[in-house]
Structures are given as C-alpha cells and as structure tokens.
Amino acid sequence: MNINRHNYESYLLLYVDNELSAAEKSAVDVFLADNPDLAIELELLAQTKLSPEITSHGNLSALLKEEPIQPAMLDQMMLKLDGELPASEASRVLSEIQTNPTAKKEWEILQKTKLDPAETIRFPYTEGLYRHSGSRVVAMRFFRYAAAAAILGFGLFTGYRALYPANNAHETEIAAGTNGKAKTKIPGNGNTADAPQTPTEATENLASVPEQATGPEKAGQPAIAGPVPDKEQTFAASNNITEKPTRSITQPSVNNQPEKENRRDIVSENINKLPRNISAPESVELEKRALNEKKEAMLIANNNKEVPQKEIKPLTALDTDIMQPLPVAGARTASISNEPPGTEENDVLFLDDEQVKKSKLNGLIRKIKRNVERRTNIKTGNGIKIAGFEIAAR
Amino acid sequence: MTEREYNDCVKLFADNVYRFILKNLRHEEDARDVVQSAFEKLWRNRQEVEGDRMKSYLFTIAYNQMIDHIRKNKRVSLKDEFRDTDRGVQTQQPMARRVLDEALAQLNETQRSLVMLKDYEGYSYVEIGQITGLNESQVKVYLHRARLQLREYIVKMENVL
C-alpha cells in the first residue's frame, strides 16, 4: 500500500466510512502523522458522517389495523336502526354497541345515514287536490230577477234601435202621411173618406176604379181626363194614349219583373216623349202629371213612404183637375201596399229604400237575409214582427 | 273511501307524497304532476280503497307513477338538471343534511325510495314491500346495501372535509 499526497483522499474517505482493514488504517495513521496538515482534512470528513438517533413513533395505535365488525353485528345494528328489532333484542344490541368501541363508532356513522322525518316540503297546490261534489246554489231574490229582466229588456230595445234606426223613423213618417192623404176625395166614386182609411178600405175604393176608368177609355178620351187606373197605364197614356185604350187595372203588370226594373227609365222616357204626341197646352199638363206620377210611383215603390210636401205644392196650385187623380193614386198606394209581399218586396229594395237604409250593418243583414231566403225558400214578411224578430204565421 | 276521507287524505299526506316524489325526481314540476295524477287516480278509485289503507294506497300509486315517469324520461339526461335543482333547494341546509342528500342522490331510485319510505314515513319492511312490489327479504337487503352506500359516502366526505 502506497499512500502519498496524490491519492490520500480516497484513503481518508474509506477511513471515515470504516471500510479499511486494520493494516490499511495503521498505514493511514502513519501517513497522517508524517503529514499533519492533512489530519485536519480527515477531521472535516469525519464531521459529515451522521450519528445514529433513537426516535419513537409516539402514536402507534393509530397505525394498528382495526378489528373488522362482524357481519351479524352489522345486521343487528341495521335492524336496530330501522326499528325492526323486538324490544329485548334491541336492548341487547345497544349494550353490545356500548361495550365495543368499533361497533360504537360504526353505530354513530350509521345513525348519520338516517333521514330526518321532521324535514317538511310543502306541496304548493294542495287546494287544487280537494274535491267538492256538491255544487253551490245561489238563491235568486226578486230584485235580482227584476234587474235581469230590466237589463234584458234594455238590451233588446237597444239592439232593435241599433239594427233598424231608419225603419222606425220611416214607419213613423208613413203613418203620419197616410193619415193625411186618406182624407182626399176619390173621383168618380163620390165618396169622401173623412176618417183615415185603412189599407183594406183603400183597396175597396180602388177596386171600384176600373169600372169608372174604362168608361172614358172606351169613349176614346185621353186617360188624363178621368181617374188613372194604373201607374203603368198612366205611362202608356202619356207615351201613346191610343195604343192600349182598353187596358184595365184588373190586369196589373206588377208581377212583370222586367217592367218593374225599367220603371225609372219608363218615367224619364215618357217625359221626354210628351211633346211629340200631345198638343202644347195638354203637354204642359201631361208633363206635370208625369212628374206627379213619377213621385207617386216612387211613393208606391217606397212602401207608403211619404213624399216631401214641398214637392207636391206646385201641382196643387196649378189646376184642380190635375189634382183629381192624385187621391186615386193615394188610394192605390194603399192597395199596392196590400199586394202579396213576394211581388212588392223587390220594389221596396229596388227604389228608395236603399237611400234610407243605406248602412253597412243593414247591407250585411240584407245580404244574409237574401241568402237565407234563397237557400231555405223562407219568405219573410208574412209573419209577426216583435222587436225586430219575425215569427212565421201559419 | 268517502269524499271527506279523501279530502283528509289530501290534507294529511299531500306534503308527504310530494316530499317523497320530489326527493326522488329532484324536479319540482315533474313531482307536482306525479302527485296530482296520483291523487286523481286515488279519487277515481276511491270506491275500492278502505279508509285505513289510503295512505299506503296513495304512496303505491305515486311510486308506480314515479317509476313510469322515470322510465319514460330515461333517455333524457337528468343528472345535471338534478344537480341544479339540488343546489336551489338545499342552499340553506346544514352541511350534514346536504351531504346526506348528496349521498342519497347517488343511490338508484329503488334504494332511494326504500330509504325514504323507511325513514320519512316509518313503514315496515312488509309495508314497503307492498308499496314497491318487493318481498320483505329484498327490501331488507336493498335497504342495508343502501345504508352502507350512504355510510361510505358520508365517511369519504368527512375525510375530505
């Protein structure tokens, strides 16, 4: 072994780690004695060596494995927790739990798994679940019936007024106008109707007219001299007097639909044609007469609608002869209004009714009425009208 | 069961049934529908129900309707929805109860129902078997498994906390 200053470090480390044999250790000691400066280095190396320390764990019980609880005991605890054990068995299990720390700990944990029955959650819709089979009866007293009747009556009245405003005013006017005209004298008949005539009476008066009217016609006299038998006949007379002299009122052309539709045109044409067929003095009279007849025709078609008084006035001032046929026309107005409703109804709708009843609501109702009539073949106007509703009379 | 008994049943058990269904479904609207349909069915079948059995009959109807509802909506992932509702319902609950509710949510619906019927309503194994259609042994085994599962969850959460 040759230790020198070039390889001494490895021998010193081995010396510190006690890895040298006794001979080698003595050789290192001799070398360090010859080189005292290297002895300090050996001391430093020796200080890096750890000294063995004695330490204790302190809580060895925490490291010990717990003895597992027996399954039978766990079952008993479960049954005790669920309250399924008889009283005697339950007390025995409880005592075992108290004596066994492992079982006690397990029991404490198991008790935490039990839900608290005191915990409440309210069902928010309980009221909707209740059932009440008996219905509540509310007694109606007299004033409630009266109030209901008043409301119903007011509603019906308002509805009727809203639906037929023009009709009501129209009927009022006609009632006044008919009473006034019924007092006029009927020519040829000689009867004077002092009291207001009913439509039936007017029809009777009119029925006697053709017999008197046919007399002058047969004699070749113009129809204007005598009472006018029919409005169509009047138009014919003003147009061409000699064309249909024998036409009587007993053959009315009221049911002739094209003739009715062209009534306005006929009146205007007749007025235009007057000067060609009749002499000048007569033509003036005939023109006025035609105007009167036009107004009368409108009056007839309007179903007893009153003609404004100011339009009739000029005629009454001109000639009393011209005025004579007017009452006849008035009487005829009443008689025509008594004609079958199916024949006269279209006239009512055709002429001035549209001006009077022109409103969106009335138009709609009229359309519905026509549609219903067309589909169901129900003819209105025969029944009794109560508050705007018609009841069929059979 | 008379009308009066039915109304008493509503008064006494509506909240209990609602709690039972709500804790299972964890969805208020669905729980309300199930409860209403359960009472509707109870009213329809009131002639067949005796007065002393109306509570178990009501819970049987509600349980079956809840199972039908769960099966019907099985394809819908309700887990996230349950968690949202869970937070909303239990924000003010103490920690122990919240942990227990979370543990309860880990159980399947049968185990959960068994635990609630036992703890909330106090039914015996036999009665729970009649309500859920299981026999007594099954109820006992399922219930004990459920308890151990709850215990594991609670211990784990306590260690975490």
Side-chain angles (χ1 to χ4, degrees), chain A residues 351-368:
Chain A
L351 289 173
D352 293 335
D353 248 9
E354 291 179 357
Q355 295 170 4
V356 176
K357 297 180 179 178
K358 212 164 187 178
S359 71
K360 287 182 180 179
L361 182 62
N362 284 340
L364 180 65
I365 292 169
R366 203 158 48 239
K367 277 183 185 174
I368 294 168

Side-chain angles (χ1 to χ4, degrees), chain A residues 89-110:
Chain A
E89 194 75 9
S91 59
R92 186 187 63 79
V93 170
L94 265 182
S95 61
E96 278 188 31
I97 289 170
Q98 296 301 326
T99 55
N100 187 348
T102 309
K104 190 177 181 181
K105 191 176 178 185
E106 189 69 25
W107 176 247
E108 286 172 358
I109 295 172
L110 280 176

